[in-house]
Amino acid sequence: MNLKRIFGALLTTLGIAGLIYTAVLFAQTSGEMNDIKGLVIYGILGIVFFLSGISLIRTTKDES
């Protein structure tokens, strides 16, 4: 059981969830300033979590 791979998968899942939530907010937005701030914040956090999780999974070596 590799803890880094599990943490990478968790970060990737959180990133995907953040990006999906951003898409849902984008579909329901009316263009107000608060809507745009939420889109930017959740979008950036989703991208950061997703990319860090993917890179953590990629760089972790399989050792038995």
Side-chain angles (χ1 to χ4, degrees):
M1 186 164 101
N2 198 345
L3 191 60
K4 283 185 181 180
R5 281 196 178 258
I6 294 172
F7 188 63
L10 179 68
L11 281 175
T12 304
T13 306
L14 284 174
I16 291 171
L19 291 173
I20 290 172
Y21 186 65
T22 303
V24 169
L25 283 180
F26 181 73
Q28 296 175 355
T29 189
S30 62
E32 295 180 13
M33 186 58 119
N34 290 336
D35 295 336
I36 295 172
K37 285 181 185 178
L39 285 173
V40 170
I41 290 170
Y42 290 124
I44 289 174
L45 283 176
I47 290 171
V48 167
F49 283 178
F50 180 73
L51 293 178
S52 64
I54 292 294
S55 68
L56 189 59
I57 291 172
R58 273 188 170 176
T59 58
T60 303
K61 296 180 182 176
D62 285 331
E63 295 179 2
S64 296

